[in-house]
Every structure is written in C-alpha cells, then in structure tokens.
Amino acid sequence: MAETQYAIEMLNITKKFPGIIANDNITLQLKKGEIHALLGENGAGKSTLMSVLFGLYQPEEGVIKKNGQVVSIKDPNDANDLGIGMVHQHFKLVECFTVLDNIIMGVEPTKHGFLQKKEAREKVLALSEKYGLQVDPDALIEDITVGMQQRTEILKMLYRDNEILIFDEPTAVLTPQEIEELMQIMKNLAAEGKSILFISHKLAEIMAVADRCSVLRKGKYIGTVETKNTTMEELSAMMVGRNVNFHVEKKPSTPGDVVLDVKGMTVASKVHKNNAVKNVSLQVRRGEIVCIAGIDGNGQTEFVYGLTGLEPLVSGSIALCGQDITHASIRKRSTSGMSHIPEDRHKHGLVLDYTLEDNMVLQRYFEPEFTSKAGFLKRGPIREYAEKLIEQYDVRSGQGPVTIARSMSGGNQQKAIVAREIDKDPELLVAVQPTRGLDVGAIEYIHKQLVAQRDAGKAVLLVSLELDEVMDVPDRILVMYEGEIVGELDPKKTTQEELGLYMAGAKRDEVSP
Amino acid sequence: MKKNIWKNPAVQALVASLICIVLGLLIGYIVLLFINPSGAGEAIVSVVKNFLNYSKTNLRLKNLGNTLVKTAPLLMCSLSVLFAYKVGLFNIGAAGQFVVGSCACLISSLGWGWSWLPCLLFTVLVGAVYGAIVGLLKSYCNVNEVISGIMLNWIGLYTTNMILNTVKEPTSPYTLHMASEAPQALLPSLGMAKLFSGNKYVTIAVPLAIILAVVIMVLLDKTKLGYELKATGNNKNAAKYAGMAEKRNIILTLAIAGALAALGGAFLYQTDYEQWSVTQSSVPGMGFNGIAAAFLGGLHPVGAIFSSYFIQHITNGGAYVDLTKYSSQISDLISSIIIYLCGFVLFIKYAMNKSIAKREEKQAQQGKLASDTEKGGGGK
C-alpha cells in the first residue's frame, strides 16, 4: 500500500449525547503539511470532534488513523504521544512562571533529579529562531503580551515535537497586526512540514491562511473545499445552511435624549496599582448604538464593572435618564432600566447548575409576577415566561425550560442571556462582547436584536473586540486605550487600519465627551 | 431509548448510601474478626438489632425512644451542615454551634430559671449569632469558613465549660439535673413519652426536628430566599451580577445553619437525657456526625431524617456488644467505622456513574458491530 498523504484522519466519527447527536458520521482528513480549517457554528460539533481526537470522549462509531494506521486514543496522554498538540482559546499557562518554565513544564529535562534548563533553553531558542516565534524565555507570563503568550503556547507544542498542531480560535484575542504575524507563523510551520488544524469562525482568516476547509453544521459533515476554489459567501452558506448577510442592515440613527451620562469615571485595577479606567466621560443617547472598541485589557472590562455596579468607582459620576446612580446598588441600576449582557457568560451571566427557566428569571425572580407576597416562587408563571422567551428567541436545548444551563451549547446560553436582558425592556442595554465565540448565524441574530433595540428608541452601549462588529454595528465608535478614550470615529468614514492605529495607541485625539 | 433508572439521581443517592452502610458493616465485622473471631457475627448482629435485642415490646419501645432522643439533635446538626452545603459552604462549625447551643439552653434554664420556650428561643439566637460570626469573617475578611469554624469550635467548648461551671453539681463535673433543678425548662412531651412506653426523655424535640427538616426542604426548593441562597452558593459572581446581596446571603446562611445546630443542643439537654461535663476537653462528636449524616442522606433534608436515625441506631446498638469478649470501646469503634464509611457516598456515586458510562460504551461498541455486519450485506 502506498504511503498515505494524511497525517491524521478521523473517519466516520459518531458521538451521541442524551437527546443529541453531537457528531454524526463526520470525516476529517488532515494532509501532511497543510493548513486545514475547521469551520462550523456553535454547537456544530467542533469541540466534540476535538475532544474525541484528544481522547476525552470515546466515539460510538468511527476510527482515527495516523499515517494510515488505526490508533486508539483513550486519553489526552495518548494524543500527546501521537504528536497532537493544541493551542487552546484560553491559554493554559502558569502566570507567575517564566516563558521557558512554561514551555518545558511536564517534560522537564533532568539529570539525577535536577533540572537541566540550559539544554532546554538552547532547544527553545533554536525552535523560536527556526519558526520566527519571538519570545523572551526569561520573562514572566504575566508581564508579556497576549501575542507572546500565544507564541509560548505554540513553542510548547513544538518543544514536544508535535507534528499535528491544532489552533482553537487563535485570533480572538489578538490585534490586527498580531493576527498578521500569527498567519505568517502558521504558514512557516506548514512549510516546515507541520500539519495544522485551524478552528475558526472568521471566514476572512480562513480564506487568507488555509489550504482546505471542512465545514460542520448541526453535528453533520457538510463538506471539504479548497479555499482557492471557493468564496466567503459559499463558505458561510455551507456553515449556516442559507445565505447570510454580512452587513448589518440598519437605517441611519436618529439620536434622541441622553440616556447614559458618564462623567470622569475612574476605576481602580484589580491587578496593578494604577487605575484601569482613567477619567472617562461619555454619553449614550436614545436611538443610537455606541461602541467602545479596543484591544482586550485596556480598561473596557473595568469600565463596564464600574458602570453596572460590580466594582465601586474611585471618582466620577453616572446618570441614567437624568437620575444619579453613581452609588446605586446593582439591583437598583437594573430596576431603573439598565440591562447588562456580561462579557463572561459563565462567570456572571448564568448560574450554570440552575435550569434554563431559573436562569431566565435571574434578573426578575423577585418581581410580584414570579414571587408571592409570602416569599414563595411562583413556578407556573416562571415556566410560562421561560417558554415564551425560548420560543420567541429560539433558544435551543435538550429538555426545554428544565435543561440544566451547563449542558447547553455556548451559543444558546448566550441567546438565553440576550433574551433575558432584552425582554426586561431596558432604557440602556450594555452589551459586552455579546457575540464572543458565536457562529455567523447567531452573530447575525444578535446584531439584529441590538439594532432593533436601537430602533425602538433604546440606548445601546456595545463593548467589542471584534473589528467587523465594531465597523458594522454601531453609529459611533469610541476607542479605549490604556483606560482612556483616545478617539471618536464615525464607522462610515473610518477604515479598519485607522481603527487599528487608535487601538494600538499609535494615534490619539483629544476627545471631548 | 430506554431510560436507565441507575441514572436517576435519587436512585443513585439511595443506592450509594446503602452500599456505604453495607461496606461499613462489613469492615466493622472484619475488625471484630481480628480482635476476637468467636463473637464477631453475634456482635455485629446486636449492633444492627439495637433495641430489637430486647424481646419485650415495652422494652423495645423504650429503647427505640432512647435512640430517637439522640436522633433529634443529630438531625439538627446534619440539617445545619447540608443547608450550608447547598449554599456552597462547608459548615464544620456545626460542632461548635451545637456546643454553644447546649450552653445557652443550660445556663438559661439552670442558671436563670427560664422556662422551656424562652430557653429554646435564646438558644436559636445564640446559635445564629455564633454562626453569623463565621459568615461575617467569610464575607468581609475572606476567611475560609472551615478555618474559622474549627477555631470557633474550640472557643465555644472552653467558653461553655467556663460558663456551665456555675451550674454544675458540687461533687461531680456534670451539670445539675434539669428534671429536679429546673423542671420548667424540660421540653414538653405532649404524649410522646406514652407512645414509647413511658420513656420520659422522648419529647416534642423528635417531631419538631422532622418538621424543621421539611421546612428546610421547602425553604431551599420553593422560596425566593432559597433561590437566592442556592444561586449564591453555585455562582457568587452571577448572584452579584443579578443584584443579590451575596455577602448578606452568606452571613444569613451561616446564621441559619448556626441556629439549627444550636437547636440540636437544646433538643438533647432540655430532655435531661444527658448532662454536660464541664471537664471535657474535646468537642462533642454530634456536630461532626452531622456531617456524615448529611452526606449519607444524599444532602437532602428528607434523606437526612433517615440517615440521622440510622447513625444513631448504630451508635446506640454498639452498647449491646458482648463486653466479656470485647473491650468497652468496641461499640464506639464499630459505629465510627460505619460513620466513616458513610462519608464515601459521593465517591460511590462517582464510581457508579463511571461504570454506567463504561457499560454504555461497551453496548455502543457491540451495537456498532451488529450494524456493521448488517451493512456488510448491503455493501457500499
């Protein structure tokens, strides 16, 4: 038999969970030395497929072959032994260790029980030169940029002589310039004979870097295409099963009264002594979507915490519809008309071990509609309300209102939160990265909801890291850099390049609120 | 697809608890075999039989009554532990809260001559305050509730010894007999004694403890407060995001847990079944056994009723071991082995889930083989 051209093959994989077939007869063949993109909506089965590859799940049907040989992967150690490595979306690094320590962790070279870091350092430096992965081996992880942290993760795989490299949504946390660099690194790796599996939602990146692309939809394998023979439109239609509108359709905005008025807000940082948010002033009016853009970690999170009451302000004031809420409790802000789609749906947005219906009333359970005067929950109305929201916002789950939130897919968890927050009928909707980790279909849906809120005369404050979202959705863009607003841009007049310069701190205006 | 009853959490909890009990008895039996093989079988049987060791009905009832008298305080301690556990807190301080509860009811009855109801209410108050200290430390100073709970157990013990020194018998380290010195503080029997052939120690404490178990169940499952408390326990950040007062909730939870455990003290000492020894230098085991009872009962208030009874049944049954063959500590040893094994409920559940998953995988593999051969005929 001739030598196979495939580094790894997953053939006819089927994996079922109670009530759902997560992978239905999926075939994925990764050629040696290629960059292969894996595209699919949330809940399409990408994570399950990768868990099967790493031995976290055993498939009911199907085989995995490496270089044409059937292999059995029972746990992640088996996967490591086969030379499969992964850069996770959320890095698995020890913050207080150096880059070098993180790279060698678990496979430390030792002699008589003592660490032999010198050898390790030489190997790491050689690798970093060979593939153009610039890192400072002695820097602590907590001090380096996200881009360098990612390069450390890549070096970790290379140090273990992994041949098959999996990148799970690697660009989500990077600046446009860093994304460029990463693309180049991936190409270098492929040129050196590594096989790369690139999991992404971002069609432009797939078109730019991948050789081939396999598409999954609702657990089923749709097909594999050569990127040079396809278009973004075709890919997205394969992924969603219909044609998707990339552009958010919206009428010109007609801003009305000021709903949110923030003056001189300063918020302390949890991680360093400086303030994370410095003297920020901004206004959001009825009928407009204002977007705070910026690279992750420039104070957006703290700004939202200050705004929604999760963290106290050092100084400044907040007014909602003319009412001062600087010192109001979170509950008071919520009942005064502020809705908040939080950045981290698992940390803040949901009680994961509660049912979907209990999560649907998380912001309203205390209202007379859901709690009797004696303090008992009204189960009947809660169920009805949850069913109404599930229906209206098309939240899909295994068992409807009684599904445990933890068992739902990320996209549907997010839809549940969006449903809950929008249905509160707020004056101000604060949406923080509302589409993070979601597929094109869900993103389109959520963007429509935001625009609908705007058109209904609500004020919408969007915080986003996604350039496409920043350019497409809002009526005004405010760029945040190191805790300050450094520019106000009109999305119709600016370009991604200009935006990138503001986000990277290379350009700034004096902005008057 | 057929539903697997083994996957039902209630069935799992029950089976896991039963496996623990059987394992405990088995290991207890093996230990007895090592010490003295001739009497092992007989001894373990008498432990399990407890009051059934008597042949006369009235003696059986009377001794069943004795077990129930101590079940009530154990149930209170286990409710205290499981209530806090549902809110994500491990109330190891239940032991100390039980102690201060004992102190509060004894000093208010023997020392100040209060009658039973004010004594009970005072006990609840003291227990709540004592529990709230742990809650305050947790929410405002970020002190782990286990650490502060253990510290407060000892503080509670020695403070209690000091205070109760004023109401002890002149010639012994024990506190005065309530029946003779402060009969007004004895919990009313309401005919309970008659049910157990005149066992005067059986009081309203027994039904009251069961009612409180049901109240806790309703509180956790049906009320707004329970919704808030469980949300705080499951995800503190989400609770805060939803505008719940998560600090207040932690303090409130531990105050309620403290009150429950303290009531356990009152339910024991306001029957005059036992007297407090002011020279004791270890925290009474009641609160710690409450932890075992809570887990054995599947962390459910109704389960706790049965598990508390079972643990007390075994403990009392230990008294019937033939002391000519074994030393007198053997009863404590056997019951503690069984109680220790009771803590393994979660482990057994985990093992059960794993074996179910394995079996299903096997079935799936076999199913796959079968369908493969079928497909073979069709050919592709």
Side-chain angles (χ1 to χ4, degrees), chain A residues 305-380:
Chain A
Y305 283 3
L307 179 63
T308 54
L310 286 165
E311 292 289 337
L313 303 190
V314 174
S315 63
S317 71
I318 310 167
L320 184 66
C321 303
Q323 189 189 356
D324 181 68
I325 55 160
T326 312
H327 302 289
S329 67
I330 298 171
R331 175 68 49 85
K332 181 81 182 63
R333 291 176 206 225
S334 167
T335 51
S336 314
M338 185 189 286
S339 264
H340 175 197
I341 299 170
E343 179 177 5
D344 188 333
R345 56 179 167 263
H346 290 173
K347 186 176 175 190
H348 288 117
L350 296 166
V351 180
L352 286 173
D353 289 314
Y354 267 17
T355 56
L356 178 56
E357 62 180 4
D358 280 358
N359 273 298
M360 285 295 200
V361 293
L362 194 61
Q363 298 276 23
R364 301 184 59 177
Y365 66 93
F366 50 87
E367 292 178 5
E369 195 184 341
F370 303 117
T371 297
S372 70
K373 278 199 184 116
F376 286 88
L377 292 176
K378 293 179 183 169
R379 281 284 157 203

Coordinates of all heavy atoms in Angstrom, one line a residue, chain A residues 305-380:
Chain A
Y305 N -17.7 47.2 34.7 CA -17.9 46.8 36.1 C -18.3 48.1 36.8 O -19.2 48.1 37.7 CB -16.6 46.2 36.7 CG -16.4 44.8 36.3 CD1 -17.2 44.1 35.4 CD2 -15.3 44.1 36.9 CE1 -17.0 42.8 35.1 CE2 -15.1 42.8 36.6 CZ -15.9 42.1 35.7 OH -15.7 40.8 35.3
G306 N -17.6 49.2 36.6 CA -18.0 50.5 37.2 C -19.4 50.9 36.9 O -20.1 51.4 37.7
L307 N -19.7 50.8 35.6 CA -21.0 51.3 35.1 C -22.1 50.5 35.7 O -23.2 51.0 36.1 CB -21.0 51.2 33.6 CG -22.3 51.6 32.8 CD1 -22.5 53.1 33.1 CD2 -22.1 51.3 31.3
T308 N -21.9 49.1 35.8 CA -23.0 48.3 36.2 C -23.1 48.0 37.7 O -23.9 47.4 38.2 CB -23.0 46.9 35.5 OG1 -21.7 46.4 35.7 CG2 -23.2 47.0 34.0
G309 N -22.0 48.6 38.4 CA -22.0 48.5 39.9 C -21.3 47.3 40.4 O -21.3 47.0 41.6
L310 N -20.7 46.5 39.6 CA -19.9 45.3 40.1 C -18.7 45.8 40.8 O -18.2 45.1 41.7 CB -19.6 44.4 38.9 CG -20.7 43.6 38.3 CD1 -20.3 43.0 37.0 CD2 -21.1 42.5 39.3
E311 N -18.1 46.9 40.5 CA -17.0 47.5 41.2 C -17.3 48.9 41.5 O -18.0 49.6 40.8 CB -15.7 47.5 40.3 CG -15.2 46.1 40.0 CD -14.6 45.4 41.2 OE1 -14.2 46.1 42.1 OE2 -14.5 44.2 41.2
P312 N -16.8 49.4 42.7 CA -17.0 50.8 43.0 C -16.1 51.7 42.2 O -15.1 51.3 41.7 CB -16.6 50.9 44.5 CG -15.6 49.7 44.7 CD -16.0 48.7 43.7
L313 N -16.6 53.0 42.1 CA -15.8 54.0 41.3 C -14.8 54.6 42.3 O -15.1 54.8 43.5 CB -16.7 55.1 40.8 CG -17.8 54.7 39.8 CD1 -18.4 55.9 39.2 CD2 -17.3 53.7 38.8
V314 N -13.7 55.0 41.8 CA -12.7 55.8 42.5 C -13.2 57.3 42.5 O -13.3 58.0 43.5 CB -11.3 55.8 41.9 CG1 -10.4 56.7 42.7 CG2 -10.8 54.3 42.0
S315 N -13.7 57.7 41.3 CA -14.3 59.0 41.2 C -15.1 59.1 40.0 O -15.1 58.2 39.1 CB -13.2 60.1 41.2 OG -12.4 59.9 40.0
G316 N -15.9 60.2 39.9 CA -16.7 60.3 38.7 C -18.2 60.1 39.0 O -18.5 59.8 40.2
S317 N -19.1 60.3 38.1 CA -20.5 60.1 38.3 C -21.2 59.5 37.1 O -20.7 59.5 36.0 CB -21.1 61.5 38.6 OG -21.2 62.2 37.4
I318 N -22.3 58.8 37.4 CA -23.0 58.1 36.3 C -24.5 58.6 36.5 O -25.0 58.6 37.6 CB -23.0 56.6 36.5 CG1 -21.6 56.1 36.6 CG2 -23.7 55.9 35.3 CD1 -21.5 54.7 37.1
A319 N -25.1 59.0 35.4 CA -26.5 59.3 35.5 C -27.3 58.5 34.4 O -26.8 58.3 33.3 CB -26.8 60.8 35.2
L320 N -28.4 57.9 34.8 CA -29.2 57.1 33.9 C -30.6 57.8 33.8 O -31.3 58.0 34.8 CB -29.4 55.7 34.4 CG -30.1 54.7 33.6 CD1 -29.4 54.4 32.3 CD2 -30.4 53.4 34.3
C321 N -30.9 58.3 32.6 CA -32.1 59.0 32.4 C -32.2 60.2 33.3 O -33.3 60.4 33.9 CB -33.3 58.1 32.5 SG -33.3 56.7 31.4
G322 N -31.1 60.9 33.5 CA -31.2 62.0 34.4 C -31.1 61.8 35.9 O -31.0 62.7 36.7
Q323 N -31.1 60.5 36.3 CA -31.1 60.1 37.7 C -29.7 59.7 38.1 O -29.1 58.9 37.3 CB -32.1 59.0 37.8 CG -32.4 58.6 39.3 CD -33.3 57.3 39.3 OE1 -33.6 56.7 38.2 NE2 -33.5 56.8 40.5
D324 N -29.2 60.2 39.1 CA -27.8 59.9 39.5 C -27.8 58.5 40.1 O -28.5 58.2 41.1 CB -27.3 60.9 40.6 CG -25.9 60.5 41.0 OD1 -25.0 60.7 40.1 OD2 -25.7 60.1 42.1
I325 N -27.0 57.6 39.5 CA -26.9 56.2 40.0 C -25.5 55.9 40.4 O -25.1 54.7 40.5 CB -27.4 55.2 39.0 CG1 -26.7 55.4 37.6 CG2 -28.9 55.3 38.8 CD1 -26.8 54.1 36.8
T326 N -24.7 56.9 40.7 CA -23.2 56.6 41.0 C -23.1 55.7 42.1 O -22.2 54.8 42.1 CB -22.6 58.0 41.4 OG1 -22.9 58.9 40.4 CG2 -21.1 57.8 41.4
H327 N -23.9 55.8 43.1 CA -23.8 54.9 44.3 C -24.9 53.9 44.4 O -25.0 53.3 45.5 CB -23.6 55.8 45.6 CG -22.5 56.8 45.5 ND1 -21.2 56.4 45.6 CD2 -22.5 58.1 45.3 CE1 -20.4 57.4 45.4 NE2 -21.2 58.5 45.3
A328 N -25.7 53.8 43.4 CA -26.8 52.9 43.5 C -26.4 51.4 43.5 O -25.3 51.1 42.9 CB -27.8 53.1 42.3
S329 N -27.2 50.6 44.1 CA -26.8 49.1 44.1 C -27.0 48.5 42.7 O -27.7 49.2 41.8 CB -27.7 48.4 45.1 OG -29.0 48.4 44.6
I330 N -26.5 47.3 42.5 CA -26.7 46.7 41.2 C -28.2 46.5 40.9 O -28.7 46.7 39.8 CB -25.9 45.3 41.2 CG1 -24.5 45.5 41.4 CG2 -26.2 44.6 39.9 CD1 -23.7 44.3 41.7
R331 N -28.9 46.0 41.9 CA -30.3 45.8 41.8 C -31.1 47.1 41.4 O -31.9 47.1 40.5 CB -30.9 45.2 43.1 CG -32.4 45.0 43.2 CD -32.9 43.9 42.3 NE -32.2 42.7 42.3 CZ -32.5 41.7 43.2 NH1 -33.4 41.8 44.1 NH2 -31.8 40.6 43.1
K332 N -30.7 48.2 42.0 CA -31.3 49.5 41.7 C -31.1 49.9 40.3 O -32.0 50.4 39.6 CB -30.8 50.6 42.7 CG -31.4 51.9 42.5 CD -32.7 52.0 43.2 CE -33.5 53.3 43.1 NZ -33.9 53.7 41.8
R333 N -29.8 49.7 39.8 CA -29.5 50.1 38.5 C -30.3 49.2 37.5 O -30.8 49.7 36.5 CB -28.0 49.8 38.2 CG -27.1 50.8 38.9 CD -25.6 50.5 38.7 NE -24.9 50.9 39.9 CZ -23.8 51.6 39.8 NH1 -23.2 51.8 38.7 NH2 -23.2 52.0 40.9
S334 N -30.4 47.9 37.8 CA -31.2 47.0 37.0 C -32.6 47.4 36.9 O -33.2 47.5 35.8 CB -31.0 45.6 37.5 OG -31.9 44.7 36.9
T335 N -33.2 47.7 38.0 CA -34.7 48.0 38.0 C -34.9 49.5 37.5 O -36.0 49.8 37.1 CB -35.3 47.9 39.4 OG1 -34.5 48.7 40.3 CG2 -35.4 46.5 39.9
S336 N -33.8 50.3 37.5 CA -34.0 51.6 36.9 C -33.9 51.6 35.4 O -33.9 52.6 34.7 CB -33.0 52.6 37.4 OG -32.8 52.5 38.8
G337 N -33.6 50.4 34.8 CA -33.7 50.4 33.3 C -32.3 50.1 32.7 O -32.1 50.4 31.5
M338 N -31.4 49.5 33.4 CA -30.1 49.1 32.8 C -30.1 47.6 32.6 O -30.3 46.9 33.6 CB -29.0 49.6 33.7 CG -27.6 49.3 33.0 SD -26.2 49.6 34.2 CE -26.2 51.4 34.3
S339 N -29.9 47.1 31.4 CA -29.7 45.7 31.2 C -28.2 45.5 30.9 O -27.6 46.3 30.3 CB -30.6 45.2 30.0 OG -31.7 44.7 30.5
H340 N -27.7 44.3 31.2 CA -26.3 44.1 31.0 C -26.1 42.7 30.5 O -26.4 41.7 31.2 CB -25.6 44.3 32.4 CG -24.2 43.9 32.4 ND1 -23.5 43.7 33.6 CD2 -23.3 43.8 31.5 CE1 -22.2 43.4 33.3 NE2 -22.1 43.4 32.0
I341 N -25.6 42.6 29.3 CA -25.2 41.3 28.7 C -23.7 41.2 29.1 O -22.9 41.9 28.5 CB -25.4 41.2 27.2 CG1 -26.9 41.4 26.9 CG2 -24.9 39.9 26.6 CD1 -27.2 41.6 25.4
P342 N -23.4 40.3 30.0 CA -22.0 40.4 30.6 C -21.0 39.7 29.6 O -21.3 38.9 28.8 CB -22.1 39.6 31.9 CG -23.2 38.7 31.7 CD -24.2 39.3 30.7
E343 N -19.7 40.2 29.8 CA -18.6 39.7 29.0 C -18.5 38.2 29.1 O -18.2 37.5 28.2 CB -17.4 40.4 29.5 CG -16.1 40.0 28.7 CD -15.0 40.9 29.2 OE1 -15.1 41.7 30.2 OE2 -13.9 40.7 28.7
D344 N -18.5 37.7 30.4 CA -18.2 36.3 30.6 C -19.5 35.6 31.0 O -20.0 35.8 32.2 CB -17.2 36.2 31.8 CG -16.7 34.8 31.9 OD1 -17.5 33.8 31.6 OD2 -15.6 34.6 32.4
R345 N -20.1 34.9 30.1 CA -21.4 34.3 30.4 C -21.4 33.3 31.5 O -22.4 33.0 32.2 CB -22.1 33.8 29.2 CG -21.4 32.8 28.4 CD -22.2 32.3 27.2 NE -21.3 31.6 26.3 CZ -20.7 32.1 25.2 NH1 -20.9 33.4 24.9 NH2 -20.0 31.4 24.4
H346 N -20.3 32.6 31.6 CA -20.2 31.6 32.7 C -19.9 32.2 34.0 O -20.4 31.7 35.1 CB -19.1 30.5 32.3 CG -19.4 29.7 31.2 ND1 -18.6 28.8 30.6 CD2 -20.6 29.6 30.5 CE1 -19.2 28.2 29.6 NE2 -20.4 28.7 29.5
K347 N -19.1 33.2 34.1 CA -18.8 33.8 35.4 C -20.0 34.6 35.9 O -20.3 34.5 37.1 CB -17.6 34.7 35.2 CG -17.1 35.3 36.5 CD -15.8 36.1 36.3 CE -15.4 36.7 37.6 NZ -14.3 37.7 37.4
H348 N -20.5 35.5 35.1 CA -21.6 36.4 35.5 C -23.0 36.0 35.0 O -24.0 36.2 35.7 CB -21.3 37.8 35.2 CG -20.2 38.4 36.0 ND1 -19.0 38.8 35.4 CD2 -20.0 38.6 37.3 CE1 -18.2 39.3 36.3 NE2 -18.8 39.2 37.5
G349 N -23.0 35.6 33.8 CA -24.3 35.6 33.1 C -25.3 34.5 33.5 O -26.5 34.7 33.5
L350 N -24.8 33.4 34.0 CA -25.6 32.3 34.2 C -25.2 31.6 35.5 O -24.1 31.6 35.9 CB -25.5 31.2 33.1 CG -25.9 31.6 31.7 CD1 -25.4 30.6 30.7 CD2 -27.5 31.7 31.6
V351 N -26.2 31.0 36.2 CA -25.9 30.0 37.2 C -26.0 28.7 36.5 O -27.0 28.2 36.2 CB -26.9 30.1 38.4 CG1 -26.6 29.1 39.5 CG2 -27.0 31.5 39.0
L352 N -24.8 28.1 36.2 CA -24.7 27.0 35.3 C -25.5 25.8 35.8 O -26.0 25.0 35.0 CB -23.3 26.6 35.0 CG -22.6 27.6 34.1 CD1 -21.1 27.3 34.0 CD2 -23.2 27.6 32.7
D353 N -25.6 25.6 37.1 CA -26.3 24.4 37.6 C -27.7 24.6 37.8 O -28.4 23.7 38.3 CB -25.6 23.9 38.9 CG -24.2 23.3 38.6 OD1 -24.1 22.6 37.6 OD2 -23.2 23.7 39.3
Y354 N -28.2 25.8 37.5 CA -29.6 26.1 37.5 C -30.2 25.7 36.2 O -29.6 25.6 35.2 CB -29.9 27.6 37.8 CG -30.1 27.9 39.2 CD1 -29.7 27.1 40.3 CD2 -30.7 29.1 39.6 CE1 -29.8 27.4 41.6 CE2 -30.8 29.5 40.9 CZ -30.4 28.6 41.9 OH -30.6 29.0 43.2
T355 N -31.6 25.5 36.2 CA -32.2 25.1 35.0 C -32.3 26.4 34.1 O -32.1 27.5 34.6 CB -33.7 24.6 35.2 OG1 -34.3 25.6 36.0 CG2 -33.7 23.3 36.0
L356 N -32.7 26.2 32.8 CA -32.8 27.3 31.9 C -33.9 28.3 32.4 O -33.7 29.5 32.4 CB -33.2 26.8 30.5 CG -33.4 27.8 29.4 CD1 -32.3 28.7 29.3 CD2 -33.7 27.1 28.1
E357 N -35.0 27.7 32.9 CA -36.1 28.6 33.4 C -35.6 29.5 34.6 O -36.0 30.6 34.7 CB -37.4 27.8 33.7 CG -37.3 26.8 34.8 CD -38.6 26.1 35.0 OE1 -39.5 26.3 34.3 OE2 -38.6 25.3 36.0
D358 N -34.9 28.8 35.5 CA -34.4 29.6 36.6 C -33.4 30.7 36.2 O -33.3 31.8 36.8 CB -33.8 28.7 37.7 CG -34.8 28.0 38.5 OD1 -36.0 28.3 38.3 OD2 -34.4 27.2 39.4
N359 N -32.7 30.4 35.2 CA -31.8 31.4 34.6 C -32.5 32.5 33.9 O -32.1 33.7 33.9 CB -30.7 30.8 33.7 CG -29.5 30.3 34.5 OD1 -28.8 31.1 35.1 ND2 -29.3 29.0 34.4
M360 N -33.6 32.2 33.3 CA -34.4 33.2 32.6 C -34.9 34.3 33.5 O -35.2 35.4 33.1 CB -35.5 32.5 31.8 CG -35.1 31.8 30.6 SD -34.4 32.9 29.3 CE -34.5 31.8 27.8
V361 N -35.2 33.9 34.7 CA -35.8 34.9 35.7 C -34.7 35.5 36.6 O -35.0 36.1 37.6 CB -36.9 34.3 36.5 CG1 -38.1 34.0 35.6 CG2 -36.5 33.1 37.2
L362 N -33.4 35.2 36.3 CA -32.3 35.7 37.2 C -32.4 37.1 37.6 O -32.0 37.5 38.7 CB -31.0 35.3 36.6 CG -29.8 35.4 37.5 CD1 -29.9 34.4 38.6 CD2 -28.5 35.1 36.7
Q363 N -32.9 38.0 36.6 CA -32.9 39.4 36.9 C -34.3 39.8 37.4 O -34.5 41.0 37.7 CB -32.6 40.2 35.7 CG -31.2 40.0 35.2 CD -30.1 40.8 35.9 OE1 -30.4 41.3 37.0 NE2 -29.0 41.0 35.2
R364 N -35.3 38.9 37.4 CA -36.6 39.3 37.7 C -37.4 38.5 38.7 O -38.5 38.7 39.0 CB -37.5 39.3 36.4 CG -36.9 40.2 35.3 CD -37.8 40.2 34.1 NE -39.1 40.7 34.4 CZ -40.1 40.8 33.5 NH1 -39.8 40.6 32.2 NH2 -41.3 41.2 33.8
Y365 N -36.7 37.5 39.2 CA -37.4 36.5 40.1 C -38.1 37.1 41.3 O -39.0 36.6 41.8 CB -36.3 35.5 40.6 CG -35.3 36.1 41.6 CD1 -35.5 36.0 42.9 CD2 -34.2 36.7 41.1 CE1 -34.6 36.6 43.8 CE2 -33.3 37.3 41.9 CZ -33.5 37.3 43.3 OH -32.6 37.9 44.1
F366 N -37.6 38.3 41.7 CA -38.2 38.9 42.9 C -39.4 39.7 42.6 O -40.1 40.2 43.5 CB -37.1 39.8 43.5 CG -36.5 40.8 42.5 CD1 -37.1 42.0 42.2 CD2 -35.4 40.4 41.8 CE1 -36.6 42.8 41.3 CE2 -34.8 41.3 40.9 CZ -35.4 42.5 40.6
E367 N -39.8 39.9 41.3 CA -40.9 40.7 41.0 C -42.2 39.9 41.4 O -42.2 38.7 41.4 CB -40.9 41.0 39.5 CG -39.8 41.9 39.1 CD -39.7 42.2 37.6 OE1 -40.6 41.7 36.9 OE2 -38.8 42.8 37.2
P368 N -43.3 40.7 41.6 CA -44.5 40.0 42.1 C -45.0 39.0 41.1 O -45.7 38.1 41.5 CB -45.5 41.2 42.2 CG -44.7 42.4 42.2 CD -43.4 42.1 41.6
E369 N -44.7 39.2 39.8 CA -45.1 38.2 38.8 C -44.5 36.8 39.1 O -45.2 35.8 38.8 CB -44.6 38.7 37.5 CG -45.2 38.0 36.3 CD -44.6 38.5 35.0 OE1 -44.0 39.5 34.9 OE2 -44.8 37.7 34.0
F370 N -43.4 36.7 39.8 CA -42.7 35.4 40.0 C -42.6 35.0 41.4 O -42.2 33.9 41.7 CB -41.3 35.4 39.3 CG -41.4 35.8 37.8 CD1 -40.8 36.9 37.3 CD2 -42.1 34.9 37.0 CE1 -40.8 37.2 36.0 CE2 -42.2 35.2 35.6 CZ -41.6 36.4 35.1
T371 N -42.8 35.9 42.3 CA -42.7 35.6 43.8 C -43.9 36.1 44.5 O -44.3 37.2 44.3 CB -41.5 36.3 44.4 OG1 -40.3 35.7 43.7 CG2 -41.3 35.9 45.9
S372 N -44.5 35.2 45.3 CA -45.7 35.6 46.0 C -45.3 36.5 47.2 O -44.2 36.6 47.5 CB -46.4 34.3 46.5 OG -45.7 33.8 47.6
K373 N -46.3 37.1 47.8 CA -46.0 38.0 48.9 C -45.4 37.3 50.1 O -44.6 37.8 50.8 CB -47.3 38.6 49.4 CG -47.7 39.8 48.6 CD -48.7 40.7 49.3 CE -49.2 41.9 48.4 NZ -50.6 41.8 48.1
A374 N -45.7 36.0 50.2 CA -45.1 35.2 51.3 C -43.7 34.8 51.0 O -43.0 34.1 51.9 CB -46.0 34.0 51.6
G375 N -43.2 35.1 49.8 CA -41.8 34.7 49.5 C -41.6 33.4 48.8 O -40.5 32.9 48.7
F376 N -42.8 32.8 48.3 CA -42.6 31.6 47.6 C -42.6 31.9 46.1 O -43.2 32.8 45.6 CB -43.8 30.7 47.9 CG -43.8 30.0 49.2 CD1 -44.4 30.7 50.3 CD2 -43.2 28.8 49.4 CE1 -44.3 30.1 51.6 CE2 -43.1 28.2 50.6 CZ -43.7 28.9 51.7
L377 N -41.7 31.1 45.4 CA -41.6 31.3 43.9 C -42.9 30.8 43.3 O -43.4 29.7 43.7 CB -40.4 30.5 43.4 CG -39.0 30.9 43.8 CD1 -38.0 30.0 43.3 CD2 -38.7 32.4 43.3
K378 N -43.3 31.5 42.3 CA -44.5 31.0 41.5 C -44.0 30.2 40.3 O -43.6 30.8 39.3 CB -45.3 32.2 41.0 CG -46.0 33.0 42.1 CD -46.7 34.1 41.5 CE -47.4 35.0 42.6 NZ -47.9 36.3 42.0
R379 N -43.9 28.9 40.5 CA -43.4 28.0 39.5 C -44.1 28.1 38.2 O -43.5 28.0 37.1 CB -43.3 26.6 40.0 CG -42.1 26.4 41.0 CD -40.9 26.3 40.2 NE -39.7 26.6 41.0 CZ -38.6 27.0 40.5 NH1 -38.4 27.2 39.2 NH2 -37.5 27.3 41.2
G380 N -45.4 28.2 38.2 CA -46.2 28.2 37.0 C -45.8 29.3 36.1 O -45.4 29.2 34.9

